[in-house]
Amino acid sequence: MYAMSLGDDGAELCPLEPWQAGEFLAHIDRGREFIGQHNGLPDIVTDLASSRAFLQGYAERAAADTGRIHGIRTDGTLVGAVVLRTMDVAQGNAEAGCWLEPSAAGKGLVTRAARVLIDWAVEERGIHRVEWWVSSANAPSIAVARRLGMTRDGVLRESYLYRGQRHDEEIWSVLAPEWRAGKGAGAWSGRAH
C-alpha cells in the first residue's frame, strides 16, 4: 500500500479499503464518543460487518469516480480520515468531510490531509466547487474550513436532525480559481471569510 507524507511529524495519508475493516472498527471504537459529537459515523460503524460495508461503499464510489476515503495515520496507527462524500465530475462539484480520534486533534492533521484531497479533486479530477458541510456547533471543523480558504455560503437553520435534536448546518465552499490563488499565495492558513 502507498502512503503520502503529511509533513515532518511522520503523519501520512493513505487509502482505506474493505480489507482494513478490523483496523477501521478499532479506530472508530477508540474515538466513538469524540467522533460522535457531530458525526453519525459511530452510529453506522458498530461491528466488523458494518465497518466492512462502510469501506466497501467507498470502494464502490472510488470505482464509479463518485467519492473517496483516505486514512490519516500517525506512527502507523489509523487516527482519522478525510473523504469526498460525493463527487460529481460532470458537474464539477464535490463535498469533503473528515473526522479524528481525540488523541489526534489539534495537530493540523485534518487541514493537511484535506488540502491533499481537495488539491487532487481540483487539479486531477477537474472539480470546480468543493463544499464542506458542518454543524454550527462544530468549531474545530469550521476552523478547518477557514484554514482551507473556504467561504461560508450560508446556514441551513435546524436542518440537521441528529440524535433527536435539530442543529443548524453551515455550508462552506472553495472554488477552483480561489483554491489555486490561495495555494499560489500561500494563503491557506487562516484566511477568514
PDB file of all heavy atoms in Angstrom, residues 105-138:
ATOM      1  N   ALA A 105      -6.407  15.168  17.645  1.00  0.00           N
ATOM      2  CA  ALA A 105      -6.962  16.510  17.450  1.00  0.00           C
ATOM      3  C   ALA A 105      -5.946  17.590  17.814  1.00  0.00           C
ATOM      4  O   ALA A 105      -5.082  17.381  18.655  1.00  0.00           O
ATOM      5  CB  ALA A 105      -8.226  16.673  18.292  1.00  0.00           C
ATOM      6  N   GLY A 106      -6.072  18.733  17.151  1.00  0.00           N
ATOM      7  CA  GLY A 106      -5.254  19.891  17.478  1.00  0.00           C
ATOM      8  C   GLY A 106      -3.856  19.886  16.901  1.00  0.00           C
ATOM      9  O   GLY A 106      -3.018  20.697  17.289  1.00  0.00           O
ATOM     10  N   LYS A 107      -3.583  18.991  15.957  1.00  0.00           N
ATOM     11  CA  LYS A 107      -2.244  18.887  15.372  1.00  0.00           C
ATOM     12  C   LYS A 107      -2.213  19.307  13.909  1.00  0.00           C
ATOM     13  O   LYS A 107      -1.191  19.151  13.238  1.00  0.00           O
ATOM     14  CB  LYS A 107      -1.733  17.444  15.510  1.00  0.00           C
ATOM     15  CG  LYS A 107      -1.631  16.991  16.958  1.00  0.00           C
ATOM     16  CD  LYS A 107      -1.233  15.545  17.059  1.00  0.00           C
ATOM     17  CE  LYS A 107      -1.218  15.107  18.527  1.00  0.00           C
ATOM     18  NZ  LYS A 107      -0.915  13.695  18.676  1.00  0.00           N
ATOM     19  N   GLY A 108      -3.340  19.790  13.387  1.00  0.00           N
ATOM     20  CA  GLY A 108      -3.386  20.211  11.989  1.00  0.00           C
ATOM     21  C   GLY A 108      -3.505  19.076  10.992  1.00  0.00           C
ATOM     22  O   GLY A 108      -3.360  19.294   9.784  1.00  0.00           O
ATOM     23  N   LEU A 109      -3.766  17.865  11.473  1.00  0.00           N
ATOM     24  CA  LEU A 109      -3.806  16.707  10.582  1.00  0.00           C
ATOM     25  C   LEU A 109      -4.925  16.790   9.550  1.00  0.00           C
ATOM     26  O   LEU A 109      -4.718  16.496   8.371  1.00  0.00           O
ATOM     27  CB  LEU A 109      -3.939  15.415  11.397  1.00  0.00           C
ATOM     28  CG  LEU A 109      -2.748  15.067  12.290  1.00  0.00           C
ATOM     29  CD1 LEU A 109      -3.089  13.910  13.207  1.00  0.00           C
ATOM     30  CD2 LEU A 109      -1.528  14.762  11.441  1.00  0.00           C
ATOM     31  N   VAL A 110      -6.128  17.173   9.983  1.00  0.00           N
ATOM     32  CA  VAL A 110      -7.252  17.248   9.043  1.00  0.00           C
ATOM     33  C   VAL A 110      -6.987  18.315   7.992  1.00  0.00           C
ATOM     34  O   VAL A 110      -7.222  18.092   6.807  1.00  0.00           O
ATOM     35  CB  VAL A 110      -8.586  17.510   9.779  1.00  0.00           C
ATOM     36  CG1 VAL A 110      -9.669  17.960   8.817  1.00  0.00           C
ATOM     37  CG2 VAL A 110      -9.040  16.250  10.499  1.00  0.00           C
ATOM     38  N   THR A 111      -6.486  19.464   8.406  1.00  0.00           N
ATOM     39  CA  THR A 111      -6.215  20.527   7.441  1.00  0.00           C
ATOM     40  C   THR A 111      -5.211  20.057   6.402  1.00  0.00           C
ATOM     41  O   THR A 111      -5.429  20.224   5.191  1.00  0.00           O
ATOM     42  CB  THR A 111      -5.694  21.792   8.157  1.00  0.00           C
ATOM     43  OG1 THR A 111      -6.671  22.203   9.120  1.00  0.00           O
ATOM     44  CG2 THR A 111      -5.442  22.913   7.174  1.00  0.00           C
ATOM     45  N   ARG A 112      -4.126  19.443   6.847  1.00  0.00           N
ATOM     46  CA  ARG A 112      -3.105  18.967   5.908  1.00  0.00           C
ATOM     47  C   ARG A 112      -3.655  17.881   4.985  1.00  0.00           C
ATOM     48  O   ARG A 112      -3.401  17.892   3.777  1.00  0.00           O
ATOM     49  CB  ARG A 112      -1.887  18.450   6.674  1.00  0.00           C
ATOM     50  CG  ARG A 112      -1.098  19.573   7.339  1.00  0.00           C
ATOM     51  CD  ARG A 112       0.148  19.051   8.013  1.00  0.00           C
ATOM     52  NE  ARG A 112      -0.161  18.619   9.375  1.00  0.00           N
ATOM     53  CZ  ARG A 112       0.572  17.771  10.087  1.00  0.00           C
ATOM     54  NH1 ARG A 112       1.663  17.230   9.569  1.00  0.00           N
ATOM     55  NH2 ARG A 112       0.228  17.458  11.320  1.00  0.00           N
ATOM     56  N   ALA A 113      -4.409  16.954   5.549  1.00  0.00           N
ATOM     57  CA  ALA A 113      -4.962  15.862   4.743  1.00  0.00           C
ATOM     58  C   ALA A 113      -6.015  16.372   3.763  1.00  0.00           C
ATOM     59  O   ALA A 113      -6.049  15.961   2.598  1.00  0.00           O
ATOM     60  CB  ALA A 113      -5.555  14.795   5.656  1.00  0.00           C
ATOM     61  N   ALA A 114      -6.877  17.277   4.234  1.00  0.00           N
ATOM     62  CA  ALA A 114      -7.911  17.823   3.350  1.00  0.00           C
ATOM     63  C   ALA A 114      -7.285  18.610   2.202  1.00  0.00           C
ATOM     64  O   ALA A 114      -7.794  18.579   1.075  1.00  0.00           O
ATOM     65  CB  ALA A 114      -8.881  18.693   4.141  1.00  0.00           C
ATOM     66  N   ARG A 115      -6.190  19.307   2.460  1.00  0.00           N
ATOM     67  CA  ARG A 115      -5.508  20.035   1.377  1.00  0.00           C
ATOM     68  C   ARG A 115      -5.088  19.078   0.266  1.00  0.00           C
ATOM     69  O   ARG A 115      -5.251  19.380  -0.914  1.00  0.00           O
ATOM     70  CB  ARG A 115      -4.281  20.766   1.914  1.00  0.00           C
ATOM     71  CG  ARG A 115      -4.610  22.030   2.626  1.00  0.00           C
ATOM     72  CD  ARG A 115      -3.338  22.724   3.115  1.00  0.00           C
ATOM     73  NE  ARG A 115      -3.690  23.913   3.855  1.00  0.00           N
ATOM     74  CZ  ARG A 115      -3.006  24.384   4.875  1.00  0.00           C
ATOM     75  NH1 ARG A 115      -1.918  23.765   5.293  1.00  0.00           N
ATOM     76  NH2 ARG A 115      -3.408  25.481   5.491  1.00  0.00           N
ATOM     77  N   VAL A 116      -4.527  17.942   0.648  1.00  0.00           N
ATOM     78  CA  VAL A 116      -4.091  16.962  -0.342  1.00  0.00           C
ATOM     79  C   VAL A 116      -5.291  16.460  -1.146  1.00  0.00           C
ATOM     80  O   VAL A 116      -5.253  16.402  -2.380  1.00  0.00           O
ATOM     81  CB  VAL A 116      -3.356  15.781   0.331  1.00  0.00           C
ATOM     82  CG1 VAL A 116      -3.098  14.653  -0.654  1.00  0.00           C
ATOM     83  CG2 VAL A 116      -2.053  16.263   0.970  1.00  0.00           C
ATOM     84  N   LEU A 117      -6.365  16.097  -0.452  1.00  0.00           N
ATOM     85  CA  LEU A 117      -7.534  15.539  -1.124  1.00  0.00           C
ATOM     86  C   LEU A 117      -8.225  16.576  -2.007  1.00  0.00           C
ATOM     87  O   LEU A 117      -8.607  16.283  -3.149  1.00  0.00           O
ATOM     88  CB  LEU A 117      -8.516  14.981  -0.084  1.00  0.00           C
ATOM     89  CG  LEU A 117      -9.593  14.048  -0.600  1.00  0.00           C
ATOM     90  CD1 LEU A 117      -8.998  12.832  -1.294  1.00  0.00           C
ATOM     91  CD2 LEU A 117     -10.507  13.617   0.536  1.00  0.00           C
ATOM     92  N   ILE A 118      -8.380  17.792  -1.509  1.00  0.00           N
ATOM     93  CA  ILE A 118      -9.017  18.846  -2.305  1.00  0.00           C
ATOM     94  C   ILE A 118      -8.152  19.196  -3.507  1.00  0.00           C
ATOM     95  O   ILE A 118      -8.658  19.387  -4.620  1.00  0.00           O
ATOM     96  CB  ILE A 118      -9.317  20.083  -1.440  1.00  0.00           C
ATOM     97  CG1 ILE A 118     -10.416  19.749  -0.427  1.00  0.00           C
ATOM     98  CG2 ILE A 118      -9.718  21.281  -2.296  1.00  0.00           C
ATOM     99  CD1 ILE A 118     -10.620  20.803   0.646  1.00  0.00           C
ATOM    100  N   ASP A 119      -6.842  19.281  -3.296  1.00  0.00           N
ATOM    101  CA  ASP A 119      -5.955  19.589  -4.415  1.00  0.00           C
ATOM    102  C   ASP A 119      -6.069  18.528  -5.501  1.00  0.00           C
ATOM    103  O   ASP A 119      -6.122  18.848  -6.693  1.00  0.00           O
ATOM    104  CB  ASP A 119      -4.511  19.726  -3.931  1.00  0.00           C
ATOM    105  CG  ASP A 119      -3.666  20.482  -4.930  1.00  0.00           C
ATOM    106  OD1 ASP A 119      -3.998  21.643  -5.238  1.00  0.00           O
ATOM    107  OD2 ASP A 119      -2.671  19.914  -5.415  1.00  0.00           O
ATOM    108  N   TRP A 120      -6.141  17.267  -5.104  1.00  0.00           N
ATOM    109  CA  TRP A 120      -6.317  16.183  -6.076  1.00  0.00           C
ATOM    110  C   TRP A 120      -7.640  16.357  -6.819  1.00  0.00           C
ATOM    111  O   TRP A 120      -7.692  16.226  -8.047  1.00  0.00           O
ATOM    112  CB  TRP A 120      -6.270  14.826  -5.355  1.00  0.00           C
ATOM    113  CG  TRP A 120      -6.590  13.687  -6.268  1.00  0.00           C
ATOM    114  CD1 TRP A 120      -5.737  13.048  -7.118  1.00  0.00           C
ATOM    115  CD2 TRP A 120      -7.872  13.070  -6.437  1.00  0.00           C
ATOM    116  NE1 TRP A 120      -6.413  12.067  -7.805  1.00  0.00           N
ATOM    117  CE2 TRP A 120      -7.711  12.059  -7.409  1.00  0.00           C
ATOM    118  CE3 TRP A 120      -9.127  13.270  -5.866  1.00  0.00           C
ATOM    119  CZ2 TRP A 120      -8.779  11.252  -7.814  1.00  0.00           C
ATOM    120  CZ3 TRP A 120     -10.176  12.465  -6.275  1.00  0.00           C
ATOM    121  CH2 TRP A 120      -9.996  11.476  -7.233  1.00  0.00           C
ATOM    122  N   ALA A 121      -8.716  16.635  -6.086  1.00  0.00           N
ATOM    123  CA  ALA A 121     -10.035  16.786  -6.720  1.00  0.00           C
ATOM    124  C   ALA A 121     -10.029  17.925  -7.730  1.00  0.00           C
ATOM    125  O   ALA A 121     -10.558  17.784  -8.839  1.00  0.00           O
ATOM    126  CB  ALA A 121     -11.107  17.019  -5.649  1.00  0.00           C
ATOM    127  N   VAL A 122      -9.431  19.044  -7.354  1.00  0.00           N
ATOM    128  CA  VAL A 122      -9.411  20.218  -8.234  1.00  0.00           C
ATOM    129  C   VAL A 122      -8.466  19.995  -9.418  1.00  0.00           C
ATOM    130  O   VAL A 122      -8.854  20.185 -10.578  1.00  0.00           O
ATOM    131  CB  VAL A 122      -9.011  21.490  -7.435  1.00  0.00           C
ATOM    132  CG1 VAL A 122      -8.725  22.661  -8.366  1.00  0.00           C
ATOM    133  CG2 VAL A 122     -10.111  21.847  -6.440  1.00  0.00           C
ATOM    134  N   GLU A 123      -7.238  19.603  -9.128  1.00  0.00           N
ATOM    135  CA  GLU A 123      -6.212  19.541 -10.178  1.00  0.00           C
ATOM    136  C   GLU A 123      -6.269  18.285 -11.029  1.00  0.00           C
ATOM    137  O   GLU A 123      -5.993  18.341 -12.226  1.00  0.00           O
ATOM    138  CB  GLU A 123      -4.811  19.705  -9.560  1.00  0.00           C
ATOM    139  CG  GLU A 123      -4.630  20.988  -8.781  1.00  0.00           C
ATOM    140  CD  GLU A 123      -4.815  22.269  -9.612  1.00  0.00           C
ATOM    141  OE1 GLU A 123      -4.907  22.215 -10.854  1.00  0.00           O
ATOM    142  OE2 GLU A 123      -4.873  23.350  -8.996  1.00  0.00           O
ATOM    143  N   GLU A 124      -6.618  17.159 -10.431  1.00  0.00           N
ATOM    144  CA  GLU A 124      -6.627  15.898 -11.190  1.00  0.00           C
ATOM    145  C   GLU A 124      -7.997  15.541 -11.757  1.00  0.00           C
ATOM    146  O   GLU A 124      -8.093  15.000 -12.846  1.00  0.00           O
ATOM    147  CB  GLU A 124      -6.118  14.746 -10.319  1.00  0.00           C
ATOM    148  CG  GLU A 124      -4.709  14.935  -9.815  1.00  0.00           C
ATOM    149  CD  GLU A 124      -3.667  14.946 -10.927  1.00  0.00           C
ATOM    150  OE1 GLU A 124      -3.848  14.235 -11.925  1.00  0.00           O
ATOM    151  OE2 GLU A 124      -2.685  15.703 -10.785  1.00  0.00           O
ATOM    152  N   ARG A 125      -9.053  15.839 -11.005  1.00  0.00           N
ATOM    153  CA  ARG A 125     -10.392  15.425 -11.438  1.00  0.00           C
ATOM    154  C   ARG A 125     -11.222  16.577 -11.988  1.00  0.00           C
ATOM    155  O   ARG A 125     -12.338  16.392 -12.408  1.00  0.00           O
ATOM    156  CB  ARG A 125     -11.140  14.746 -10.276  1.00  0.00           C
ATOM    157  CG  ARG A 125     -10.469  13.482  -9.769  1.00  0.00           C
ATOM    158  CD  ARG A 125     -10.181  12.418 -10.853  1.00  0.00           C
ATOM    159  NE  ARG A 125     -11.413  12.033 -11.490  1.00  0.00           N
ATOM    160  CZ  ARG A 125     -11.634  12.075 -12.820  1.00  0.00           C
ATOM    161  NH1 ARG A 125     -10.700  12.483 -13.643  1.00  0.00           N
ATOM    162  NH2 ARG A 125     -12.789  11.723 -13.301  1.00  0.00           N
ATOM    163  N   GLY A 126     -10.681  17.783 -11.958  1.00  0.00           N
ATOM    164  CA  GLY A 126     -11.379  18.919 -12.548  1.00  0.00           C
ATOM    165  C   GLY A 126     -12.574  19.417 -11.756  1.00  0.00           C
ATOM    166  O   GLY A 126     -13.484  20.042 -12.313  1.00  0.00           O
ATOM    167  N   ILE A 127     -12.583  19.167 -10.449  1.00  0.00           N
ATOM    168  CA  ILE A 127     -13.691  19.646  -9.619  1.00  0.00           C
ATOM    169  C   ILE A 127     -13.593  21.168  -9.495  1.00  0.00           C
ATOM    170  O   ILE A 127     -12.524  21.713  -9.222  1.00  0.00           O
ATOM    171  CB  ILE A 127     -13.668  18.970  -8.229  1.00  0.00           C
ATOM    172  CG1 ILE A 127     -13.895  17.459  -8.367  1.00  0.00           C
ATOM    173  CG2 ILE A 127     -14.691  19.601  -7.287  1.00  0.00           C
ATOM    174  CD1 ILE A 127     -15.227  17.049  -8.965  1.00  0.00           C
ATOM    175  N   HIS A 128     -14.698  21.844  -9.702  1.00  0.00           N
ATOM    176  CA  HIS A 128     -14.741  23.310  -9.649  1.00  0.00           C
ATOM    177  C   HIS A 128     -15.126  23.831  -8.267  1.00  0.00           C
ATOM    178  O   HIS A 128     -14.638  24.872  -7.836  1.00  0.00           O
ATOM    179  CB  HIS A 128     -15.737  23.839 -10.688  1.00  0.00           C
ATOM    180  CG  HIS A 128     -15.892  25.329 -10.643  1.00  0.00           C
ATOM    181  ND1 HIS A 128     -14.922  26.187 -11.121  1.00  0.00           N
ATOM    182  CD2 HIS A 128     -16.882  26.112 -10.134  1.00  0.00           C
ATOM    183  CE1 HIS A 128     -15.313  27.437 -10.926  1.00  0.00           C
ATOM    184  NE2 HIS A 128     -16.492  27.421 -10.328  1.00  0.00           N
ATOM    185  N   ARG A 129     -16.019  23.122  -7.577  1.00  0.00           N
ATOM    186  CA  ARG A 129     -16.526  23.585  -6.281  1.00  0.00           C
ATOM    187  C   ARG A 129     -16.442  22.445  -5.272  1.00  0.00           C
ATOM    188  O   ARG A 129     -16.987  21.363  -5.494  1.00  0.00           O
ATOM    189  CB  ARG A 129     -17.980  24.033  -6.427  1.00  0.00           C
ATOM    190  CG  ARG A 129     -18.663  24.411  -5.125  1.00  0.00           C
ATOM    191  CD  ARG A 129     -20.157  24.717  -5.360  1.00  0.00           C
ATOM    192  NE  ARG A 129     -20.874  24.816  -4.120  1.00  0.00           N
ATOM    193  CZ  ARG A 129     -21.009  25.934  -3.402  1.00  0.00           C
ATOM    194  NH1 ARG A 129     -20.466  27.055  -3.824  1.00  0.00           N
ATOM    195  NH2 ARG A 129     -21.680  25.930  -2.266  1.00  0.00           N
ATOM    196  N   VAL A 130     -15.752  22.700  -4.157  1.00  0.00           N
ATOM    197  CA  VAL A 130     -15.679  21.722  -3.071  1.00  0.00           C
ATOM    198  C   VAL A 130     -16.408  22.315  -1.879  1.00  0.00           C
ATOM    199  O   VAL A 130     -16.092  23.420  -1.432  1.00  0.00           O
ATOM    200  CB  VAL A 130     -14.224  21.389  -2.688  1.00  0.00           C
ATOM    201  CG1 VAL A 130     -14.197  20.403  -1.522  1.00  0.00           C
ATOM    202  CG2 VAL A 130     -13.470  20.832  -3.896  1.00  0.00           C
ATOM    203  N   GLU A 131     -17.389  21.572  -1.386  1.00  0.00           N
ATOM    204  CA  GLU A 131     -18.191  22.019  -0.245  1.00  0.00           C
ATOM    205  C   GLU A 131     -17.736  21.323   1.034  1.00  0.00           C
ATOM    206  O   GLU A 131     -17.182  20.217   0.996  1.00  0.00           O
ATOM    207  CB  GLU A 131     -19.671  21.704  -0.465  1.00  0.00           C
ATOM    208  CG  GLU A 131     -20.268  22.466  -1.623  1.00  0.00           C
ATOM    209  CD  GLU A 131     -21.740  22.157  -1.850  1.00  0.00           C
ATOM    210  OE1 GLU A 131     -22.261  21.177  -1.267  1.00  0.00           O
ATOM    211  OE2 GLU A 131     -22.356  22.919  -2.611  1.00  0.00           O
ATOM    212  N   TRP A 132     -18.045  21.983   2.152  1.00  0.00           N
ATOM    213  CA  TRP A 132     -17.739  21.472   3.497  1.00  0.00           C
ATOM    214  C   TRP A 132     -18.997  21.745   4.318  1.00  0.00           C
ATOM    215  O   TRP A 132     -19.284  22.884   4.640  1.00  0.00           O
ATOM    216  CB  TRP A 132     -16.540  22.247   4.040  1.00  0.00           C
ATOM    217  CG  TRP A 132     -15.916  21.765   5.290  1.00  0.00           C
ATOM    218  CD1 TRP A 132     -16.221  22.171   6.565  1.00  0.00           C
ATOM    219  CD2 TRP A 132     -14.836  20.855   5.421  1.00  0.00           C
ATOM    220  NE1 TRP A 132     -15.395  21.547   7.469  1.00  0.00           N
ATOM    221  CE2 TRP A 132     -14.531  20.737   6.783  1.00  0.00           C
ATOM    222  CE3 TRP A 132     -14.099  20.104   4.497  1.00  0.00           C
ATOM    223  CZ2 TRP A 132     -13.521  19.906   7.254  1.00  0.00           C
ATOM    224  CZ3 TRP A 132     -13.095  19.286   4.965  1.00  0.00           C
ATOM    225  CH2 TRP A 132     -12.812  19.184   6.326  1.00  0.00           C
ATOM    226  N   TRP A 133     -19.776  20.714   4.635  1.00  0.00           N
ATOM    227  CA  TRP A 133     -20.995  20.847   5.429  1.00  0.00           C
ATOM    228  C   TRP A 133     -20.653  20.558   6.870  1.00  0.00           C
ATOM    229  O   TRP A 133     -20.035  19.530   7.164  1.00  0.00           O
ATOM    230  CB  TRP A 133     -22.056  19.865   4.941  1.00  0.00           C
ATOM    231  CG  TRP A 133     -22.638  20.192   3.603  1.00  0.00           C
ATOM    232  CD1 TRP A 133     -21.953  20.361   2.424  1.00  0.00           C
ATOM    233  CD2 TRP A 133     -24.003  20.382   3.294  1.00  0.00           C
ATOM    234  NE1 TRP A 133     -22.834  20.644   1.416  1.00  0.00           N
ATOM    235  CE2 TRP A 133     -24.108  20.665   1.920  1.00  0.00           C
ATOM    236  CE3 TRP A 133     -25.164  20.347   4.055  1.00  0.00           C
ATOM    237  CZ2 TRP A 133     -25.311  20.910   1.291  1.00  0.00           C
ATOM    238  CZ3 TRP A 133     -26.373  20.580   3.425  1.00  0.00           C
ATOM    239  CH2 TRP A 133     -26.445  20.858   2.063  1.00  0.00           C
ATOM    240  N   VAL A 134     -21.080  21.441   7.786  1.00  0.00           N
ATOM    241  CA  VAL A 134     -20.651  21.312   9.169  1.00  0.00           C
ATOM    242  C   VAL A 134     -21.717  21.855  10.108  1.00  0.00           C
ATOM    243  O   VAL A 134     -22.354  22.866   9.821  1.00  0.00           O
ATOM    244  CB  VAL A 134     -19.295  22.038   9.377  1.00  0.00           C
ATOM    245  CG1 VAL A 134     -19.379  23.496   8.974  1.00  0.00           C
ATOM    246  CG2 VAL A 134     -18.774  21.896  10.788  1.00  0.00           C
ATOM    247  N   SER A 135     -21.888  21.195  11.233  1.00  0.00           N
ATOM    248  CA  SER A 135     -22.769  21.699  12.275  1.00  0.00           C
ATOM    249  C   SER A 135     -22.222  23.030  12.772  1.00  0.00           C
ATOM    250  O   SER A 135     -21.011  23.181  12.979  1.00  0.00           O
ATOM    251  CB  SER A 135     -22.837  20.705  13.436  1.00  0.00           C
ATOM    252  OG  SER A 135     -23.412  21.305  14.573  1.00  0.00           O
ATOM    253  N   SER A 136     -23.099  23.995  12.985  1.00  0.00           N
ATOM    254  CA  SER A 136     -22.671  25.300  13.504  1.00  0.00           C
ATOM    255  C   SER A 136     -22.005  25.171  14.864  1.00  0.00           C
ATOM    256  O   SER A 136     -21.242  26.059  15.264  1.00  0.00           O
ATOM    257  CB  SER A 136     -23.867  26.248  13.598  1.00  0.00           C
ATOM    258  OG  SER A 136     -24.312  26.588  12.308  1.00  0.00           O
ATOM    259  N   ALA A 137     -22.252  24.087  15.572  1.00  0.00           N
ATOM    260  CA  ALA A 137     -21.653  23.869  16.884  1.00  0.00           C
ATOM    261  C   ALA A 137     -20.255  23.249  16.815  1.00  0.00           C
ATOM    262  O   ALA A 137     -19.574  23.134  17.831  1.00  0.00           O
ATOM    263  CB  ALA A 137     -22.561  22.972  17.729  1.00  0.00           C
ATOM    264  N   ASN A 138     -19.823  22.864  15.636  1.00  0.00           N
ATOM    265  CA  ASN A 138     -18.546  22.176  15.474  1.00  0.00           C
ATOM    266  C   ASN A 138     -17.440  23.176  15.123  1.00  0.00           C
ATOM    267  O   ASN A 138     -16.991  23.283  13.986  1.00  0.00           O
ATOM    268  CB  ASN A 138     -18.677  21.090  14.399  1.00  0.00           C
ATOM    269  CG  ASN A 138     -17.469  20.171  14.351  1.00  0.00           C
ATOM    270  OD1 ASN A 138     -16.427  20.455  14.918  1.00  0.00           O
ATOM    271  ND2 ASN A 138     -17.629  19.060  13.641  1.00  0.00           N
TER     272      ASN A 138
END
